Amino acid sequence: DTPSSAPLFSSELNIVDLAGSERPVAHWRGKDVGQIGRFSPAAASESRQQQESGAINKSLLVLSTVIQKLCEANRQGADAKGAAAPHVPYRSSKITRLLQNSLGGNALSMVICTVTPASGHCQETFN
């Protein structure tokens, strides 16, 4: 009958595959992409892949900007009380909008990176 004074906790679990930095495919079934033709299914598929890769990379860029702004806000909060917090552009991409509750406030976040140690993939790993 009396309200409980126990703290209320809520949690949210987001599992996101942040595959990015895809390079356009240079060849399709052994043919140079320039030889395939503008209106062939292979060229259309190539175009869709490039558009999707561009959208993924844009979202990753916005995500890195959001994380950078949150770090700035955290530093400013520690340095000067009453300073205006920087604008955090959560609404600039779908991924940051969906992850807004998990990125800001008192959220705890974990990032798991899977990379290959193969020397042939060094450039992709560093990107």
Side-chain angles (χ1 to χ4, degrees), residues 67-113:
I67 292 170
Q68 181 181 17
K69 294 290 185 178
L70 289 169
C71 290
E72 286 176 23
N74 190 26
R75 263 185 261 124
Q76 284 182 359
D79 292 344
K81 301 295 180 197
H87 170 70
V88 181
Y90 289 114
R91 295 185 178 179
S92 295
S93 93
K94 288 180 184 178
I95 189 76
T96 53
R97 181 69 180 114
L98 290 170
L99 294 176
Q100 183 174 357
N101 292 335
S102 299
L103 292 171
N106 61 353
L108 299 175
S109 299
M110 178 187 305
V111 176
I112 300 172
C113 297

Side-chain angles (χ1 to χ4, degrees), residues 8-75:
L8 177 65
F9 293 98
S10 67
S11 62
E12 188 173 312
L13 175 65
N14 294 300
I15 300 175
V16 181
D17 180 8
L18 297 175
S21 299
E22 286 86 1
R23 289 178 294 173
V25 179
H27 291 81
W28 185 80
R29 293 190 185 178
K31 295 181 180 180
D32 189 9
V33 173
Q35 297 172 346
I36 295 174
R38 275 180 66 191
F39 302 107
S40 70
S45 175
E46 178 75 21
S47 176
R48 281 192 300 272
Q49 275 186 323
Q50 288 177 346
Q51 289 174 352
E52 184 178 324
S53 293
I56 289 170
N57 287 334
K58 179 182 180 259
S59 292
L60 290 174
L61 178 64
V62 171
L63 179 60
S64 69
T65 302
V66 165
I67 292 170
Q68 181 181 17
K69 294 290 185 178
L70 289 169
C71 290
E72 286 176 23
N74 190 26
R75 263 185 261 124

